[in-house]
Amino acid sequence: MADPASNDVIPAPAQPRVPVRGGGFFPVHRIYCVGRNFADHAREMGATPASEQPDRGIPMFFAKPADAIVTGNADVPYPPGTNQLHHEVEPVVALGADAPPGVLPVEAAMELVFAWGVGLDLTRRDLQAAAKAKGHPWDIAKGFDHSAPVSELVPAAAVADPYSLQLDLSVNGEPRQHGALRDLIWNVAEILHELSKLYALKAGDLVFMGTPAGVGPLRPGDRFAAALGGVATLQGRVTGAAV
Ligand code: MN
């Protein structure tokens, strides 16, 4: 039922929220994602890494809906419309303040970072390949329901040196992806600077920073375990059946 005290004509959608270590919840405004931000993953996808080109250019961005998050180490239902669900383990930053008007200077960007986490940018790889071939948008490959499992968020004050952290994903106990945050092509401050040229960054935004090499399939019944160094962990299981 719509709240009779409001003028809403339908019930207001639930606000997506991510638990924060130490207590409380982080309400999600938007989810931005960065593509090809590790050279080894760009190569495995058949692209030349930006870091190996004469001009690094600008990062590639896409987005997921805020309610794509899955929290609390919950199960992830196998999505419809795909035979090729892929994992991409990624560092995640959570913004705790609005960016000031205009372009956010690189030197000021980290002041916006409230917390760190680890997430999966789940991808319908077959639909992405078809979209790439046709020059179509990536939305149906990236922005589907339950496509953004994310760990508890860890306040930035507790993360002394994020660029010393490693990123790992195992599936059914077997290592699948490994990377180091020092190998990001664009670091977090540079990503926030570039995003601010395109969007008004707000408190409540999550940014998935890109994945290292080793992306691969997830099948119904698979268990995944992701870690951002000793800072954050994410576990889950894929449920349901593939189409
Ligand atoms: Mn990704």
Side-chain angles (χ1 to χ4, degrees):
M1 291 287 289
D3 177 359
S6 77
N7 285 320
D8 293 346
V9 298
I10 58 167
Q15 170 70 55
R17 288 184 165 85
V18 183
V20 176
R21 182 166 306 163
F25 291 87
F26 179 88
V28 181
H29 173 244
R30 292 182 183 167
I31 303 173
Y32 299 107
C33 301
V34 187
R36 298 177 192 158
N37 203 15
F38 283 91
D40 56 359
H41 172 63
R43 262 183 238 112
E44 76 177 346
M45 298 305 292
T48 302
S51 51
E52 295 174 7
Q53 297 177 20
D55 175 357
R56 194 170 55 156
I58 58 171
M60 188 227 294
F61 295 119
F62 57 94
K64 294 176 185 262
D67 68 352
I69 59 165
V70 178
T71 62
N73 293 324
D75 291 347
V76 174
Y78 196 92
T82 184
N83 284 311
Q84 203 178 18
L85 177 67
H86 266 202
H87 53 73
E88 297 189 359
V89 67
E90 312 207 351
V92 177
V93 297
L95 304 191
D98 295 356
V103 175
L104 178 68
V106 171
E107 310 78 54
M110 296 312 287
E111 295 168 18
L112 298 188
V113 175
F114 164 76
W116 292 80
V118 61
L120 297 184
D121 164 19
L122 294 178
T123 302
R124 295 194 275 216
R125 192 72 70 200
D126 44 359
L127 301 193
Q128 186 195 35
K132 284 181 179 178
K134 293 180 179 174
H136 286 180
W138 286 13
D139 299 55
I140 63 171
K142 291 289 196 178
F144 52 92
D145 296 323
H146 313 289
S147 62
V150 65
S151 70
E152 178 182 59
L153 297 174
V154 178
V159 184
D161 182 7
Y163 293 105
S164 70
L165 297 176
Q166 309 287 308
L167 184 67
D168 286 282
L169 175 76
S170 64
V171 177
N172 302 325
E174 293 183 7
R176 288 274 188 94
Q177 290 190 263
H178 174 78
L181 267 64
R182 64 174 176 272
D183 292 330
L184 287 166
I185 294 174
W186 285 274
N187 67 29
V188 171
E190 291 170 331
I191 287 296
L192 298 179
H193 167 72
E194 293 293 338
L195 271 174
S196 78
K197 297 176 180 177
L198 301 166
Y199 301 100
L201 295 175
K202 299 283 189 186
D205 289 342
L206 295 174
V207 186
F208 282 58
M209 296 296 307
T211 196
V215 303
L218 285 172
R219 303 293 300 169
D222 283 349
R223 292 183 178 278
F224 53 83
L228 178 66
V231 170
T233 60
L234 168 71
Q235 289 93 34
R237 185 175 62 111
V238 180
T239 63
V243 293

